[in-house]
Amino acid sequence: MSLQNIRKEVMQTLEKNIDSFVDKFLMPIEKIWQPTDFLPNSQQDSFIDEVKEIQELSKELDDDFWVVLVGDTITEEALPTYESWLLDLDGVTQQPDNGWAKWIRAWTAEENRHGDVLNKYLYLSGRVNMREVEMSTQHLIADGFDIGTATDPYKNFVYTSFQELATYISHNNVAKIAKKQGHKALAKMSKIIAGDEMRHHMAYTEFVKEIFKIDPSEMMLAFQHMMKHKIVMPAMHLRESFGAKGSLFDDFSTVAQRVGVYTGFDYVDILKKLNTTWEIDKITNLTPEAEKARDFLMKLPDRMYRITERIVVPDTKFNFKWMIPA
């Protein structure tokens, strides 16, 4: 049997328990928070005063902070790209009663609220050029992305396990900065978004755990492949109006590191956590090739940490079109 067919068989085996995954890791729509819960109510007389309060508080946060928040928002808003990518995995068919398609749609529906609330908050803050932000979002969706997984569910679940934890870290750090600056509403919003990302991270790591039980060697090789080629960020093709595809990502990453929202050390920590969560040191019945892959993964965090220590984050002032000139 081909590797692709084995993967389909494993996906079909996991699919039998998809309802339990949905119940365990996702929340009923009527019970979960909605963007309106964190935003001024336009039907109330206090609406204008609440907006003014947001705008006054927003003046206290510097441009670097807003650049990071804009980048996070655009990343969240590019969900149509991610959903279409996941729906194309081996073992997923887009029929209404397909379990994996049901999971992907329900996951997307939860994630969609993040970009929605952040976008509205940016608009109310008065700190950013929303038209430029909107053009960057449209470009990111139009440009698509290639995370190096093709239609392999094993590699995709490594990617989502990693990326959901990365977004948890990013939103959680935004919450800490906002709270420190007295921006309580933004802090609370970012904290609860981070909570969603953690639940989703736990779900995808659970899928990988189950695959390790059924097909350990191929799962280990898929994990090694993703880490050897590095996890690319969903916003890898970030650009401004009239900019080239991906031309803005390096500058954005520099600002995110400078602010402390997401750094190279966070990347290494995520890898260490995945090694621990999946207990790759204890997995048995591996092929010789998979044993080498495990050795590589076990040694990789220390190697990457030493490299990261030598990286100097520049203090270059970037002029993002997203920002309104002071």
Side-chain angles (χ1 to χ4, degrees), residues 87-311:
L87 283 169
D88 202 35
L89 296 185
D90 295 332
V92 177
T93 57
Q94 296 186 43
Q95 297 165 351
D97 58 348
N98 177 265
W100 281 114
K102 176 183 175 181
W103 166 268
I104 293 164
R105 290 195 304 269
W107 168 81
T108 302
E110 280 203 4
E111 287 278 341
N112 184 68
R113 294 149 41 259
H114 302 168
D116 192 4
V117 70
L118 290 170
N119 183 296
K120 289 185 174 83
Y121 205 86
L122 288 176
Y123 176 76
L124 293 176
S125 76
R127 283 298 305 273
V128 300
N129 182 330
M130 285 305 297
R131 195 169 199 279
E132 285 291 342
V133 173
E134 289 156 0
M135 283 191 281
S136 287
T137 301
Q138 188 171 350
H139 271 305
L140 191 59
I141 296 171
D143 288 336
F145 73 151
D146 183 358
I147 54 177
T149 61
T151 59
D152 182 349
Y154 293 12
K155 292 174 184 173
N156 269 279
F157 290 159
V158 170
Y159 182 86
T160 46
S161 296
F162 190 104
Q163 196 53 48
E164 292 285 8
L165 189 50
T167 50
Y168 162 80
I169 290 167
S170 182
H171 289 300
N172 200 44
N173 283 332
V174 164
K176 289 176 183 176
I177 295 168
K179 185 178 180 180
K180 193 174 179 181
Q181 293 288 332
H183 215 321
K184 292 178 183 177
L186 179 56
K188 187 177 180 183
M189 181 195 308
S190 298
K191 188 79 176 173
I192 203 164
I193 291 172
D196 284 356
E197 304 291 13
M198 179 54 77
R199 277 191 295 105
H200 300 162
H201 160 73
M202 290 169 67
Y204 286 111
T205 56
E206 188 73 17
F207 298 158
V208 173
K209 276 184 190 175
E210 293 301 313
I211 296 170
F212 265 125
K213 292 176 186 175
I214 305 168
D215 194 8
S217 291
E218 282 302 311
M219 188 63 248
M220 191 71 75
L221 290 169
F223 186 17
Q224 181 213 27
H225 173 90
M226 292 306 295
M227 299 317 304
K228 197 171 185 179
H229 293 83
K230 296 186 180 177
I231 300 290
V232 297
M233 296 299 111
M236 59 188 287
H237 292 327
L238 200 60
R239 62 160 114 176
E240 293 175 315
S241 59
F242 304 106
K245 182 177 175 178
S247 57
L248 201 62
F249 183 71
D250 286 347
D251 292 352
F252 168 71
S253 296
T254 296
V255 174
Q257 291 205 69
R258 193 160 66 203
V259 174
V261 165
Y262 185 76
T263 71
F265 292 109
D266 292 321
Y267 185 102
V268 179
D269 285 343
I270 292 170
L271 172 56
K272 287 170 72 174
K273 284 174 183 170
L274 292 180
N275 281 350
T276 302
T277 298
W278 292 329
E279 298 182 308
I280 66 168
D281 58 322
K282 298 176 184 174
I283 292 172
T284 56
N285 300 318
L286 295 174
T287 64
E289 188 184 9
E291 286 282 8
K292 288 181 182 177
R294 173 174 38 205
D295 290 343
F296 170 85
L297 289 163
M298 294 295 290
K299 294 172 184 174
L300 187 58
D302 287 341
R303 265 177 43 204
M304 291 195 70
Y305 191 87
R306 289 194 296 272
I307 293 168
T308 304
E309 280 185 312
R310 296 197 293 268
I311 295 173

